[in-house]
Amino acid sequence: MYRGKSIEELTEQLEKKETTKEELFQQANFLAHHFQKDYNCFVTILDQVKIKDSSGPLSGIPYALKDNFSTSKILTTASSNILKDYVPVYDATVYRKLKQAGATLVGKTVLDELAMGGNGTTGHTGVVRNPWDKNRLIGGSSAGSAASVALGIVPFAIGSDTGDSVRKPAAFGGIVGYKPTYGLISRYGLFAFASSLDHVAILSRNTKDAGMVAEVLKGKDPQDMVTINSDKIHLLEGIENEIAGKKLFYLKEICGEEMKDTTTDQELKKTLDQFHQMLDKIRKQGVMIEEVSIDKSLLEAIYPAYMCISCAEATSNNANLTGISFGSRKTGKTIEEVMINTRTEGFSELIKRRFILGSYILQKENQEKLFLNACRVRRLIVEKITDLFQDYDAMISPCSGGVAPTFDSTSEKLSDRYLILENHLAIGNFGGFPSITIPYGMIDGLPIGLNITGRVKEDALVLNLANQVEKLTGMKNIYAKVGDLDV
Amino acid sequence: MYKAVIGLEVHCELETKSKNFSSAPNQFSKIPNQHVAPTDLGLPGILPVVNKEACKKALLTAIALHCENPNEIIFDRKNYFYPDLPKGYQITQVTKPMGKNGYLDILVQGKWKRVGIHQLHLEEDTASLEHDKNYTLIDYNRSGVPLIEIVTEPCLETSEEAITFLEDLKDIFLYLGVSEAKSNYGQMRCDVNISVKKEESTELGTKVEMKNINAFHRVKQAIDYEIKRQINQLENGEKILQETRRIAEDGKTYAMREKVDAIDYKYFIEPNIPSTKITNEYLNELKKMIPKLKMDRYIQYIEKYKMKEEDAKVLVKNKKIADYFEQVQKNCHDTELVIHFMTTFILSTLNKLEISLEELWITEEMLSKVIQLVEKGQISLDHGKKILYQSIEKKIDPIELIKKENLHQINDEKELIVLIKKIMEENPEQVRQYIEEDNFHVINFFIGQTMKQSNRQANPNKSLELIQQELERRKQNEQSI
């Protein structure tokens, strides 16, 4: 049996010669096609791959790659019409390392157009559906990557996380989403959204698998100047350590006890109830967990600051999409007209809105008030959290105020839940903190996730905490068992 | 009277192995799109990797121009759309340029003038476009080539000042070895900002901009034409438009576009390049690497070596020649003699053979030894030069040549008189003319013969003396008989 198996289990099967690499790929390929119509995980499904003789740590393990990683000779669209026919000429460092490690690429996954969006609904090939309920979204932007893991098509997938683009869909998909310390994994070949916030991140079905993949991907890359020397960071070392004596905190303004009792939002109430029950379970392991209160206005500023910084950087990062040296070029009477037509027809309205925002934010007369203030807010938040990390080992929080929303639901953008709880994971991107989401409960048959965020470069501790908490959830290695299949 | 106010923006491509932010070779190529990495095409997912050598060379130039240096190296993005800019932004320096508030002293018509350097920053070059009637071709070879931009204060007043500045700046690039600064390859380019005002007025006139002029003589043409045009315009009571003009083949400038509101480049700090601290140790290290520059040597040569201004000018023009001169000067006593050999032998030989100093067979050592022989009077100046010429021709060390081919000057009087007597025996008619007709011209004849028969080794001064003595002796003898 292949479906739903972890990397560890598949590796064991291979070692015992119960299966072959070719067989694993065939099964993954079958599942990918099988679920494509209903869930739309992939932009490209690879039907023929050369499986190399490799003894790498991920030898023969099928995986999916978000379609915003450059893969030489394989279509890479970033789920945007402007790149619908773009075939890269070079490999992203992540893809190169996975090849070296022996992993088998199954397909390139759908994302929100250019990784901008949190719902998985704006890709040029259509919406991605939640494996636990087809009427619900999986979340984005790493929507296809999350869904393919949640469906059991692949044991792990690669995504990118700029605000919560891996950790949020992981929560809605009942799987693990791990965003390492900024600079641990090279971004070379990842189509940039907001460079200072972009992280390569991993989706898997258990913490250990996520750590194992990160261990393969980490390392200083001469192609990415912000990568750090991680020779001394061993992600799996100490993953089984006892966590008694560790100190965690949660923020009152995000998920306080009081909120649980006063909220009229039933879903939020259920979420927080389960969250606090989980905290009690963790406390029983000898972990100290405390409620900490910080300036609410600082937390309210996360989302606007995130939008300012990410839109500004995105406007500039995507200015290469003009159809001149690559991409789907439209015609025009002059070069300027060619560029204008290419961009006008190539981007969806949502993307154009973000570019206009970004451009506005960077304008000379607005830059101080919008862009630079956003950068200041970012610094203040990071300082505050870093300060708390002096006393605590990590921060713990629910990833969302509820389960995956339905496609037709709308969120009140200025409500506390939306403004703070739904967007607080961006703290991890602001500070480059290691941050992991694991499933911890179900509400009406739908998974919910909790997040653990720790000190920069202390990924091993974050993975250790997550791994031990995972044992308390009873949700390790779960996936959506839809489809009556015998693979 | 009117006065011109001129400011220059000079772009110079740096000489490095690879491009400023990619590993593609930084080389000129006539074949388009030969030296291109994904980064230079702005492909999705690319990241810049800073070229250390380019940073070093930009900092060296900033230091040589007496600039203040920043405490860290950071880069900014300049955002604008243009087909020659594949990323849609140019990586440049706005927040912390490599140099600020520097200066360069230039000598114009015997007077020193300090040209203020507003700033010097490191950036990347764009691709080059070739427009045709129906299409435009793009060559990305130049895309990402390291470029420094030097912006002067608007303190120049004449084309002569501007050209002197540009030439001195170019020589600084060459002295530092940061660029070959070949304008025919577009490695050094210049934007000129120019306005005119009434001499007594404190208010600046309307500025006209001329972009991307490669050759210096074109800069001169453009400035001279613009000054005349703008003065004429004002004299006729017309307004100067704030515009961009171009210099055409006919040496006149033509309006290209009226300058609308300045473009907002939406600068922000490049997030993919972490800041690098510049330590004082590093700056000191760089300072030590800066050689004595052209105009400092010029002053030294005139003051210390009492060199003529025009000699000093030609010797300092090229650092290698100046270094060569200084080495030979150190080895010899007679500086005047060294200068003479440098200007009349070395420089003229380089010109005649159309070679560079590195290609010249004669090393500092060789020249020094020959000059030392001249100093000691063992060979004459002319003889010395002849040996040097032969040395080049035969590719043999001049001292070896002297030994091998017995090219020593014949100074021995006994040896010389034997030869002279022999020649006189062979030419009785000429001797007779001297004795009987007092024909002194025959002395030249005998000198010529002596030189010829001695393979030009006879000491000419001594030979002359001996010939005169011998002829005189024979005359006396004849008369006394």
Side-chain angles (χ1 to χ4, degrees):
Chain A
M1 289 296 278
Y2 163 76
R3 189 176 174 202
K5 292 283 182 293
S6 68
I7 298 176
E8 225 178 346
E9 288 164 330
L10 292 175
T11 304
E12 206 184 302
Q13 282 185 17
L14 283 169
E15 275 167 6
K16 288 185 179 162
K17 305 222 186 303
E18 291 167 6
T19 184
T20 61
K21 294 173 188 175
E22 287 74 15
E23 225 171 77
L24 293 183
F25 172 72
Q26 295 303 335
Q27 283 160 334
N29 176 265
F30 167 77
L31 292 170
H33 281 295
H34 182 81
F35 291 118
Q36 182 60 13
K37 189 166 164 275
D38 283 351
Y39 298 95
N40 188 35
C41 295
F42 295 95
V43 179
T44 304
I45 297 172
L46 301 176
D47 289 322
Q48 280 180 332
V49 292
K50 268 190 205 152
I51 293 168
K52 281 186 206 149
D53 261 342
S54 149
S55 53
L58 295 172
S59 183
I61 306 296
Y63 77 99
L65 186 58
K66 192 174 178 177
D67 208 25
N68 60 349
F69 285 89
S70 191
T71 47
S72 171
K73 295 179 193 155
I74 300 172
L75 181 75
T76 305
T77 64
S79 285
S80 179
N81 272 319
I82 205 162
L83 291 170
K84 66 181 168 50
D85 301 313
Y86 172 65
V87 179
V89 294
Y90 77 99
D91 285 344
T93 300
V94 163
Y95 177 51
R96 184 174 54 77
K97 286 197 166 193
L98 285 168
K99 271 199 278 192
Q100 270 167 12
T104 315
L105 181 63
V106 171
K108 303 288 298 285
T109 61
V110 174
L111 55 147
D112 277 300
E113 183 175 359
L114 301 168
M116 282 180 245
N119 296 333
T121 52
T122 64
H124 76 308
T125 56
V127 303
V128 181
R129 294 176 182 274
N130 192 315
W132 299 89
D133 177 354
K134 268 196 277 189
N135 297 316
R136 291 176 188 270
L137 48 88
I138 179 73
S141 62
S142 308
S145 282
S148 66
V149 174
L151 279 165
I153 299 173
V154 283
F156 81 94
I158 303 299
S160 60
D161 188 316
T162 304
D164 54 21
S165 276
V166 154
R167 291 162 296 154
K168 201 67 171 289
F172 290 156
I175 56 173
V176 173
Y178 164 46
K179 177 201 83 59
T181 295
Y182 189 68
L184 195 76
I185 300 178
S186 167
R187 299 164 303 134
Y188 182 68
L190 164 65
F191 293 11
F193 163 13
S195 311
S196 73
L197 299 165
D198 287 346
H199 292 67
V200 173
I202 298 145
L203 296 129
S204 64
R205 274 193 303 274
N206 66 63
T207 303
K208 217 169 162 183
D209 279 1
M212 198 192 295
V213 175
E215 186 66 36
V216 166
L217 297 182
K218 79 175 170 92
K220 190 145 184 67
D221 181 4
Q223 306 270 35
D224 180 356
M225 289 188 80
V226 306
T227 50
I228 55 172
N229 184 340
S230 54
D231 292 347
K232 287 183 182 142
I233 301 176
H234 303 290
L235 298 164
L236 297 173
E237 208 172 82
I239 196 159
E240 297 296 343
N241 284 356
E242 289 297 318
I243 55 171
K246 299 291 177 209
K247 284 174 76 178
L248 305 183
F249 73 93
Y250 63 87
L251 288 176
K252 184 184 171 201
E253 292 71 22
I254 294 177
C255 51
E257 288 252 40
E258 193 188 286
M259 254 169 96
K260 175 184 76 170
D261 303 326
T262 54
T263 182
T264 53
D265 181 335
Q266 283 314 301
E267 197 175 290
L268 177 61
K269 191 174 164 55
K270 282 182 194 166
T271 305
L272 292 176
D273 271 341
Q274 289 202 31
F275 177 70
H276 282 279
Q277 282 165 23
M278 182 51 63
L279 293 189
D280 286 338
K281 281 192 194 171
I282 302 169
R283 285 191 179 103
K284 283 193 185 125
Q285 301 296 309
V287 177
M288 195 178 105
I289 305 177
E290 289 182 340
E291 182 170 285
V292 169
S293 174
I294 66 169
D295 188 352
K296 194 177 167 193
S297 57
L298 208 52
L299 293 167
E300 282 169 344
I302 292 174
Y303 181 61
Y306 168 77
M307 282 306 280
C308 284
I309 295 167
S310 66
C311 288
E313 290 187 17
T315 306
S316 172
N317 279 332
N318 288 290
N320 59 341
L321 303 175
T322 54
I324 296 296
S325 59
F326 62 90
S328 302
R329 186 192 297 169
K330 302 287 181 251
T331 52
K333 284 195 194 87
T334 61
I335 304 184
E336 287 71 22
E337 228 182 84
V338 167
M339 302 202 295
I340 289 168
N341 292 346
T342 301
R343 289 175 71 83
T344 305
E345 293 173 44
F347 297 128
S348 70
E349 295 308 311
L350 224 66
I351 294 296
K352 284 181 215 163
R353 180 178 165 270
R354 291 223 191 190
F355 289 165
I356 289 166
L357 278 176
S359 208
Y360 179 80
I361 285 159
L362 282 177
Q363 266 172 21
K364 219 176 195 170
E365 59 269 34
N366 306 325
Q367 202 176 99
E368 174 63 32
K369 192 178 153 203
L370 295 173
F371 184 67
L372 296 177
N373 262 342
C375 293
R376 278 178 207 116
V377 165
R378 175 180 180 174
R379 203 184 61 236
L380 287 176
I381 290 164
V382 171
E383 276 171 8
K384 184 71 216 171
I385 299 296
T386 306
D387 212 30
L388 286 166
F389 281 154
Q390 300 231 323
D391 296 325
Y392 299 94
D393 293 301
M395 174 170 80
I396 189 164
S397 64
C399 293
S400 166
V403 298
T406 53
F407 285 108
D408 52 11
S409 73
T410 51
S411 47
E412 180 48 64
K413 296 230 150 118
L414 291 177
S415 69
D416 272 6
R417 175 174 160 187
Y418 189 81
L419 202 55
I420 299 178
L421 176 51
E422 294 300 337
N423 285 293
H424 78 279
L425 291 182
I427 292 172
N429 305 78
F430 280 3
F433 304 122
S435 181
I436 189 167
T437 289
I438 59 170
Y440 75 99
M442 298 289 255
I443 296 173
D444 304 329
L446 294 164
I448 49 174
L450 67 76
N451 179 272
I452 297 171
T453 296
R455 299 180 198 110
V456 162
K457 294 188 191 177
E458 293 198 15
D459 294 64
L461 177 59
V462 169
L463 289 168
N464 171 219
L465 287 164
N467 185 47
Q468 296 299 359
V469 172
E470 191 174 75
K471 291 173 183 167
L472 308 173
T473 63
M475 297 182 75
K476 186 176 172 180
N477 288 337
I478 62 160
Y479 67 97
K481 291 177 179 150
V482 285
D484 188 16
L485 294 166
D486 187 27
V487 287
Chain B
M1 273 302 280
Y2 289 91
K3 207 174 118 181
V5 179
I6 305 163
L8 301 175
E9 288 168 31
V10 184
H11 284 94
C12 181
E13 288 183 352
L14 295 179
E15 196 184 344
T16 53
K17 279 201 190 102
S18 55
K19 291 189 180 178
N20 211 358
F21 302 107
S22 87
S23 56
N26 172 17
Q27 274 170 30
F28 184 83
S29 170
K30 279 184 184 161
I31 309 164
N33 299 312
Q34 285 296 295
H35 305 310
V36 185
T39 301
D40 312 316
L41 289 173
L43 294 181
I46 53 93
L47 293 170
V49 178
V50 176
N51 185 330
K52 254 192 198 170
E53 187 65 13
C55 291
K56 186 180 122 187
K57 287 186 165 164
L59 276 172
L60 267 180
T61 315
I63 295 168
L65 293 173
H66 314 96
C67 288
E68 298 158 14
N69 303 113
N71 58 350
E72 60 181 353
I73 297 175
I74 52 174
F75 290 89
D76 300 84
R77 285 190 191 177
K78 180 179 182 177
N79 296 286
Y80 65 97
F81 286 103
Y82 203 69
D84 67 2
L85 191 69
K87 293 194 293 290
Y89 58 83
Q90 178 193 37
I91 303 180
T92 177
Q93 293 184 310
V94 179
T95 313
K96 292 191 176 183
M98 293 294 195
K100 257 181 164 173
N101 302 324
Y103 64 86
L104 177 63
D105 289 332
I106 58 171
L107 190 58
V108 183
Q109 302 207 349
K111 276 190 195 150
W112 288 98
K113 174 165 184 130
R114 179 156 291 190
V115 182
I117 306 292
H118 180 70
Q119 79 169 48
L120 178 154
H121 62 261
L122 177 60
E123 58 187 29
E124 56 180 336
D125 213 340
T126 56
S128 29
L129 301 180
E130 200 179 296
H131 298 288
D132 199 89
K133 208 171 164 192
N134 299 313
Y135 56 86
T136 298
L137 297 173
I138 309 180
D139 177 4
Y140 291 94
N141 280 341
R142 207 181 64 182
S143 171
V145 164
L147 197 64
I148 49 173
E149 181 176 335
I150 294 166
V151 183
T152 73
E153 301 293 351
C155 60
L156 298 160
E157 289 169 21
T158 63
S159 61
E160 194 186 354
E161 287 181 1
I163 299 308
T164 307
F165 172 80
L166 287 173
E167 273 168 358
D168 283 3
L169 189 63
K170 178 177 174 169
D171 290 335
I172 284 182
F173 297 148
L174 296 174
Y175 257 72
L176 295 173
V178 299
S179 172
E180 290 185 71
K182 289 180 184 159
S183 11
N184 52 336
Y185 283 172
Q187 288 173 339
M188 192 169 167
R189 319 191 283 266
C190 181
D191 298 348
V192 181
N193 292 313
I194 180 165
S195 64
V196 294
K197 62 179 184 90
K198 281 258 167 68
E199 191 145 30
E200 61 279 9
S201 167
T202 51
E203 221 171 289
L204 286 173
T206 307
K207 187 172 78 177
V208 163
E209 187 181 33
M210 290 175 285
K211 279 188 168 294
N212 266 327
I213 314 177
N214 285 11
F216 293 172
H217 73 271
R218 305 286 286 164
V219 174
K220 181 176 169 7
Q221 272 181 345
I223 292 174
D224 289 341
Y225 183 83
E226 256 318 288
I227 293 176
K228 257 191 227 150
R229 185 189 70 88
Q230 292 187 20
I231 291 174
N232 259 337
Q233 200 104 336
L234 292 177
E235 284 289 288
N236 294 338
E238 290 167 49
K239 265 180 101 178
I240 307 281
L241 289 176
Q242 187 179 346
E243 62 187 355
T244 303
R245 297 177 74 82
R246 66 180 175 86
I247 170 98
E249 287 299 322
D250 59 7
K252 294 177 182 171
T253 70
Y254 294 91
M256 280 174 76
R257 55 177 180 267
E258 199 166 333
K259 189 121 181 172
V260 274
D261 288 340
I263 306 164
D264 181 355
Y265 290 114
K266 305 185 179 98
Y267 292 103
F268 69 97
I269 291 172
E270 168 58 61
N272 292 312
I273 301 175
S275 77
T276 310
K277 288 268 166 286
I278 302 180
T279 60
N280 282 331
E281 289 79 45
Y282 183 58
L283 282 181
N284 288 333
E285 216 176 283
L286 291 182
K287 275 175 197 159
K288 278 185 208 145
M289 290 169 65
I290 294 178
K292 190 158 199 180
L293 294 171
K294 187 176 92 168
M295 290 317 274
D296 295 328
R297 295 196 201 210
Y298 177 82
I299 296 168
Q300 182 194 11
Y301 290 3
I302 287 173
E303 286 179 356
K304 201 168 154 196
Y305 305 138
K306 310 288 173 221
M307 213 182 273
K308 279 187 260 165
E309 281 172 19
E310 59 264 35
D311 287 345
K313 222 176 225 172
V314 292
L315 284 185
V316 300
K317 178 78 186 154
N318 179 317
K319 175 175 177 289
K320 284 182 181 135
I321 288 172
D323 285 345
Y324 190 102
F325 159 71
E326 287 175 24
Q327 187 55 47
V328 178
Q329 193 276 332
K330 233 183 259 170
N331 294 341
C332 302
H333 298 287
D334 190 342
T335 302
E336 214 176 308
L337 197 58
V338 175
I339 297 168
H340 179 78
F341 266 93
M342 285 302 298
T343 51
T344 61
F345 173 73
I346 296 288
L347 291 180
S348 65
T349 303
L350 295 181
N351 272 335
K352 206 160 67 190
L353 302 179
E354 293 181 346
I355 54 170
S356 68
L357 192 64
E358 293 96 316
E359 294 166 284
L360 183 68
W361 165 254
I362 306 293
T363 64
E364 295 95 319
E365 273 315 296
M366 294 179 190
L367 180 62
S368 301
K369 289 207 171 126
V370 172
I371 293 178
Q372 283 161 6
L373 289 178
V374 178
E375 280 175 348
K376 286 184 206 150
Q378 289 178 359
I379 55 173
S380 71
L381 200 130
D382 285 343
H383 192 52
K385 281 186 200 170
K386 265 166 211 148
I387 288 168
L388 288 169
Y389 283 125
Q390 285 192 30
S391 167
I392 292 172
E393 214 171 281
K394 296 180 175 160
K395 294 236 180 322
I396 298 173
D397 184 297
I399 301 300
E400 288 292 310
L401 198 68
I402 289 169
K403 278 186 201 155
K404 196 176 157 196
E405 310 223 337
N406 202 14
L407 286 180
H408 264 297
Q409 196 163 20
I410 304 168
N411 288 312
D412 184 2
E413 293 190 9
K414 279 180 195 159
E415 199 181 322
L416 284 173
I417 199 74
V418 170
L419 177 66
I420 289 167
K421 281 183 173 167
K422 178 180 155 260
I423 292 168
M424 288 187 180
E425 294 311 317
E426 288 166 5
N427 298 285
E429 172 57 19
Q430 277 76 5
V431 179
R432 189 196 61 78
Q433 282 180 20
Y434 183 85
I435 296 171
E436 291 176 13
E437 299 168 16
D438 282 341
N439 185 351
F440 293 102
H441 292 301
V442 296
I443 293 174
N444 284 339
F445 167 77
F446 284 116
I447 292 259
Q449 284 299 312
T450 308
M451 295 312 286
K452 194 177 165 190
Q453 295 202 18
S454 70
N455 272 329
R456 312 200 76 80
Q457 277 171 265
N459 180 329
N461 291 334
K462 275 209 175 119
S463 300
L464 173 68
E465 217 174 287
L466 291 171
I467 288 166
Q468 281 172 333
Q469 278 174 19
E470 179 60 22
L471 286 171
E472 213 41 44
R473 196 184 61 79
R474 291 189 180 216
K475 192 176 181 179
Q476 300 288 328
N477 280 354
E478 195 73 16
Q479 284 166 353
S480 62
I481 288 170

